[in-house]
Amino acid sequence: MNDLDRCYRLLGLEPGASLEEVNQAYKDLAFIWHPDRIPQDNLRLHQKAQDKLKEINHARDRLREVKTRDRTPTAYTSQQRKPPQSSPPSYYQSSPPKKPPQSPPPPPPPSSYSQSSRHQSHYASYSQPKKTHGDLSGVDLRGANLQEKDFSYRNLSKANLSEANLSDAFLHKVNLQEADLSRANLFRANLLQANLSNANLRESNLIGADFSGADLSGADLSGAKVGAGDRIMVKLTGANLRGTIMPNGQIHQ
């Protein structure tokens, strides 16, 4: 069995599965096997979860690299055939331009998942200044379609995500302190241990979201959708709700 077939098998996929299927399979398995979900006193299971997460991380990165490389020629072929422009050269060109630029290009961004070509191209559409090392503090993504995106460990403090679609997004340990998430769609979003202190979640859709271990202190949830009738459909196990304004307007003590 070659490495690619093994990666598909680790994610429970058939060879040739799409990039979207790879991303979804990874998020499902990462949610199940993340060590933070395992009791710390169970050392054997905790170690097993760490090893399993390393395997699925490798499988995701390997398949994503192949899928992104397969898509790259159609996206950049026309740019590679054009003569050099005054703007800086793209870091995604498969070979350097034939004529060197007048001044040396800036160094490439750090090699990490947070700066992958998928995320670079996504945020470019919003014309935001480039952040480094996962820093998206203050970014304006109001009304953006971010469904199923992975923002794990990213810094989105004071970001404007009002009316954004974050359904099924993976937001594990993301920093959303003082962020504006008013009227945002967080349906089934994974916000394990996220920092949402003093965040604005007014009139947002929180049904199916998992806030286990999250910091919601001082957050405003006025008018937020949290369930149907008397049934609460938001997971708040271990969440910090000190000073949180609850959907009914009451302040949690």
Side-chain angles (χ1 to χ4, degrees), residues 36 63 78 90 92 98 117 121 125 156 169-170 173 188 191-192 235 246 250:
D36 289 342
L63 293 176
S78 60
S90 169
Y92 303 107
K98 294 181 179 180
S117 58
S121 60
S125 63
L156 285 158
F170 199 72
K173 287 189 175 181
R188 292 190 312 200
L191 291 125
L192 284 168
K235 191 171 183 180
M246 305 306 288
Q250 294 182 350

Side-chain angles (χ1 to χ4, degrees), residues 43-217:
L43 298 180
R44 181 189 63 80
L45 191 56
H46 202 268
Q47 183 60 50
K48 184 176 181 180
Q50 287 181 326
D51 295 341
K52 187 68 175 180
L53 191 60
K54 288 180 182 178
E55 289 183 349
I56 63 177
N57 278 338
H58 167 74
R60 174 204 62 183
D61 292 342
R62 181 76 176 91
L63 293 176
R64 184 174 288 164
E65 176 186 0
V66 172
K67 299 294 181 181
T68 303
R69 185 178 61 209
D70 290 344
R71 290 184 176 185
T72 298
T74 59
Y76 294 97
T77 299
S78 60
Q79 295 183 13
Q80 292 174 355
R81 291 179 179 175
K82 292 180 180 179
Q85 302 294 323
S86 58
S87 58
S90 169
Y91 294 118
Y92 303 107
Q93 292 175 336
S94 58
S95 60
K98 294 181 179 180
K99 294 183 180 181
Q102 296 299 319
S103 57
S111 176
S112 65
Y113 167 64
S114 63
Q115 294 292 337
S116 66
S117 58
R118 183 172 70 92
H119 280 73
Q120 293 258 352
S121 60
H122 174 73
Y123 291 119
S125 63
Y126 298 102
S127 300
Q128 294 300 322
K130 291 184 179 179
K131 304 280 184 174
T132 58
H133 204 61
D135 183 10
L136 293 168
S137 56
V139 71
D140 188 351
L141 293 172
R142 73 188 87 177
N145 182 12
L146 305 173
Q147 183 178 8
E148 299 185 357
K149 299 299 181 183
D150 189 345
F151 290 100
S152 305
Y153 301 92
R154 304 293 290 274
N155 179 17
L156 285 158
S157 59
K158 299 183 179 180
N160 188 346
L161 292 156
S162 58
E163 301 184 357
N165 181 13
L166 287 158
S167 60
D168 291 301
F170 199 72
L171 301 162
H172 179 71
K173 287 189 175 181
V174 69
N175 182 5
L176 286 164
Q177 186 177 19
E178 299 183 25
D180 185 358
L181 291 151
S182 57
R183 297 180 299 280
N185 182 14
L186 290 160
F187 176 67
R188 292 190 312 200
N190 183 332
L191 291 125
L192 284 168
Q193 300 182 357
N195 181 2
L196 289 142
S197 59
N198 299 310
N200 178 6
L201 291 153
R202 290 194 295 266
E203 299 181 17
S204 56
N205 179 16
L206 307 181
I207 294 177
D210 189 348
F211 290 94
S212 298
D215 184 1
L216 285 159
S217 58

Side-chain angles (χ1 to χ4, degrees), residues 15-29:
S18 67
L19 179 60
E20 289 72 21
E21 291 172 323
V22 170
N23 290 336
Q24 186 60 57
Y26 166 75
K27 287 192 290 185
D28 292 344
L29 290 171

